[in-house]
């Protein structure tokens, strides 16, 4: 969780801000002029990731978001159950945001421009789609490895193509995520987190589990909010995650 947050707030979001692209907001520390929030329609009470939704909506209304050099801290879930429920809510909210913003794609493209629209879909849609597809890509490569056929030609061009796409996606996905994580860890001198980068494949599988749980909830209970318990540090030693420069 700490590695993921460092990569997001020290790497991805500052890059989006520098490029002037739409960015999903993080809920830990945001600052808005009230008039701007009202002009953009206010908070969506039915979206379970209302901060991310507002970030894209602000871009649609012509506003830009940036990051400031003040570090904040977030108390991270330190057990799997609370983490899974929190990540399920995030995934479900991102799915809601994508659906809402896709109702009028031409209007969205006119407001944000094709580059901004592509960035929004790549940032949020890419996370959701990759989480849903990751287990299948891993399963295809795993079967090929188990059968000793990873680099052997098959009898089907479609089979070769599918296996190649799965392998390239895994290598490129893991490589890009782990490289970004290492860079921000080195910049922060948080060297104790370096071994955790090797857990990326396992962590991604857990994210996939949350994504499928979110997809199930989206159909059955789209507005249900599984709240994350905070304040646990008052009762025991918490896992505190540096949330990066905002």
């Amino acid at each position: 969780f700490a590695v993921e947050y460092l990569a997001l707030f020290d790497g991805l979001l500052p890059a989006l801000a520098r490029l002037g692209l739409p960015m999903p907001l993080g809920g830990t520390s945001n600052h808005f002029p009230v008039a701007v929030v009202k002009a953009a329609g206010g908070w969506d009470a039915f979206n379970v990731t209302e901060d991310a939704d507002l970030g894209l909506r602000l871009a649609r209304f012509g506003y830009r978001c940036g990051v400031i050099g003040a570090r904040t801290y977030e108390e991270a879930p330190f057990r799997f159950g609370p983490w899974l429920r929190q990540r399920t809510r995030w995934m479900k909210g991102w799915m809601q945001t994508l659906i809402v913003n896709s109702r009028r794609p031409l209007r969205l493209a006119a407001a944000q421009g094709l580059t901004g629209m592509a960035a929004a879909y790549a940032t949020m849609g890419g996370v959701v789609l990759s989480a849903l597809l990751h287990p299948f890509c891993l399963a295809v490569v795993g079967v090929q490895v188990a059968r000793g056929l990873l680099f052997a030609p098959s009898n089907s061009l479609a089979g070769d193509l599918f296996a190649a796409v799965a392998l390239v996606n895994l290598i490129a996905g893991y490589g890009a995520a782990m490289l970004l994580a290492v860079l921000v860890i080195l910049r922060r001198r948080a060297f104790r987190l370096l071994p955790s980068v090797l857990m990326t494949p396992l962590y991604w599988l857990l994210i996939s589990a949350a994504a499928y749980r979110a997809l199930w909830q989206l159909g059955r209970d789209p507005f249900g909010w599984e709240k994350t318990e905070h304040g646990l540090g008052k009762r025991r030693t918490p896992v505190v995650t540096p949330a990066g420069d905002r």
Side-chain angles (χ1 to χ4, degrees):
F1 192 100
V3 171
E4 181 182 33
Y5 253 44
L6 280 177
L8 177 62
F9 288 106
D10 271 10
L12 180 60
L13 294 186
L16 292 175
R18 284 195 299 269
L19 294 171
L21 297 174
M23 52 189 288
L25 303 176
T28 305
S29 181
N30 295 293
H31 306 273
F32 311 99
V34 174
V36 170
V37 177
K38 290 182 176 179
W43 299 99
D44 184 349
F46 295 96
N47 191 311
V48 296
T49 53
E50 74 291 346
D51 44 7
D53 168 74
L54 182 60
L56 295 191
R57 193 147 26 93
L58 287 169
R60 199 168 76 237
F61 278 80
Y63 296 100
R64 288 184 60 176
C65 298
V67 294
I68 59 177
R71 182 184 296 186
T72 59
Y73 289 84
E74 176 170 337
E75 183 180 4
F78 53 85
R79 293 191 304 270
F80 175 69
W83 177 91
L84 179 64
R85 290 188 290 274
Q86 182 189 66
R87 182 48 61 102
T88 298
R89 176 170 59 82
W90 291 357
M91 282 289 183
K92 182 169 67 173
W94 283 27
M95 292 174 185
Q96 290 174 325
T97 301
L98 289 168
I99 292 171
V100 169
N101 281 273
S102 298
R103 288 183 300 187
R104 298 178 180 176
L106 295 180
R107 184 176 177 181
L108 180 64
Q112 293 187 347
L114 291 177
T115 302
M117 181 178 176
Y121 277 111
T123 302
M124 302 190 69
V127 170
V128 173
L129 185 61
S130 64
L132 294 174
L133 293 179
H134 176 238
F136 294 99
C137 293
L138 198 61
V140 169
V141 174
V143 169
Q144 295 289 88
V145 170
R147 298 175 60 189
L149 300 175
L150 182 59
F151 298 106
S154 70
N155 297 326
S156 167
L157 177 61
D160 286 340
L161 182 61
F162 188 73
V165 169
L167 181 60
V168 169
N169 280 342
L170 286 177
I171 294 174
Y174 290 151
M178 295 172 78
L179 176 60
L180 176 60
V182 169
L183 290 176
V184 296
I185 286 173
L186 294 178
R187 188 171 70 181
R188 284 286 183 187
R189 298 184 178 274
F191 303 120
R192 64 181 179 83
L193 293 176
L194 282 173
S196 298
V197 177
L198 299 176
M199 301 295 288
T200 297
L202 175 59
Y203 190 69
W204 279 18
L205 279 176
L206 298 180
I207 291 176
S208 295
Y212 277 100
R213 191 168 179 265
L215 191 63
W216 173 260
Q217 286 190 7
L218 187 66
R220 295 180 60 87
D221 187 17
F223 310 124
W225 189 301
E226 294 181 297
K227 293 188 178 297
T228 304
E229 185 179 5
H230 291 296
L232 301 180
K234 297 178 181 179
R235 300 197 295 271
R236 58 176 294 177
T237 302
V239 178
V240 181
T241 303
D245 288 345
R246 304 304 180 85

